[in-house]
C-alpha cells in the first residue's frame, strides 16, 4: 500500500537559506539580493554586524540577543526571517499635476492625490451595502476600478483660495512587495515628508 501522506507542518515557516557575503564575492552580488536578518533562532547574523545586533536588542527591546535562542514562551518559536536591503519597484509610472489641480484634488480627497487601500475597501463596502450585500466578483471589482479612476486627471474644482505657496505635484505609482513603501524612498531622496499640508486651509 502507498505510504500515508505526512500531516502538514505546523508552526512558523523557516527562513530561506542564505550564504554569507565575503569581500571576494561582494563585487559579483546584486544589491537587491542582499538581505539582513530579523532576530530569531533560525537566522544567521553577519559576523561584522553581530555586535550591532546585540547592542540594538539591548537598547530597543531591553533583552539580550541570546533570548531568541532560548525555549520560546507559550511554545511559540521565534525563528526570525530575512529582509532585503533594497527593493526594486516594478511598473513604475509618474505624472505631473498643476498646482491648482493638485490643490483641488487634495481638498476633495482629504489631502490625498491617490486613493488608498482603505478608500478602495470603503468603496467595496459601500457598494455591497447598496446592492444588498451581494458577493458577485464583477460587482466587487467595479468599486475598485472606480476608486482607481479617481487618480486619473479628471480633477474636481474647489472654491477655496489657492495658497500662495502651492506648487505642482508629482504622482508616482508602482508595484512593491509587502512591507515596502515608496513614501519611505521619497523621504530618503528628498529629505522631507511627502505629505500634503495645505489642503485644509482656506
Amino acid at each position: 500500500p502507498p505510504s500515508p501522506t505526512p500531516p502538514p507542518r505546523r508552526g512558523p515557516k523557516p527562513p530561506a537559506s542564505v550564504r554569507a557575503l565575503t569581500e571576494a564575492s561582494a563585487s559579483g552580488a546584486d544589491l537587491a539580493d542582499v538581505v539582513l536578518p530579523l532576530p530569531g533562532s533560525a537566522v544567521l547574523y553577519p559576523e561584522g554586524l553581530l555586535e550591532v545586533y546585540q547592542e540594538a536588542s539591548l537598547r530597543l527591546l531591553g533583552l539580550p540577543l541570546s533570548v531568541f535562542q532560548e525555549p520560546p514562551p507559550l511554545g511559540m518559536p521565534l525563528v526570525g526571517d530575512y529582509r532585503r536591503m533594497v527593493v526594486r519597484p516594478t511598473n513604475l509610472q509618474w505624472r505631473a499635476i498643476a498646482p491648482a489641480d493638485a490643490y483641488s484634488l487634495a481638498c476633495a480627497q482629504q489631502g490625498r492625490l491617490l486613493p488608498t487601500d482603505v478608500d478602495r475597501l470603503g468603496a467595496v463596502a459601500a457598494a455591497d451595502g447598496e446592492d444588498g450585500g451581494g458577493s458577485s466578483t464583477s460587482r466587487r471589482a467595479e468599486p475598485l476600478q472606480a476608486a482607481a479612476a479617481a487618480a486619473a486627471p479628471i480633477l474636481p474644482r474647489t472654491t477655496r483660495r489657492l495658497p500662495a505657496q502651492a506648487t505642482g505635484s508629482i504622482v508616482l505609482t508602482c508595484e512593491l512587495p509587502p512591507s515596502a513603501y515608496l513614501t519611505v524612498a521619497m523621504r530618503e531622496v528628498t529629505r522631507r515628508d511627502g505629505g500634503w499640508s495645505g489642503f485644509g486651509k482656506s
Side-chain angles (χ1 to χ4, degrees), residues 63-151:
L63 298 170
L65 192 62
S66 59
V67 75
F68 293 97
Q69 306 295 332
E70 299 174 358
L74 304 178
M76 296 183 296
L78 304 174
V79 298
D81 206 344
Y82 296 99
R83 187 178 179 92
R84 295 183 184 274
M85 290 182 59
V86 174
V87 174
R88 288 195 181 100
T90 57
N91 295 330
L92 180 63
Q93 300 179 19
W94 68 274
R95 61 186 176 88
I97 304 180
D101 291 337
Y103 184 70
S104 297
L105 186 57
C107 288
Q109 296 186 166
Q110 299 180 346
R112 297 186 289 271
L113 298 179
L114 286 174
T116 66
D117 289 342
V118 174
D119 296 330
R120 295 185 177 95
L121 291 173
V124 171
D128 282 349
E130 292 175 359
D131 65 13
S135 57
S136 167
T137 302
S138 60
R139 285 202 303 270
R140 296 179 68 86
E142 290 174 0
L144 297 178
Q145 297 168 354

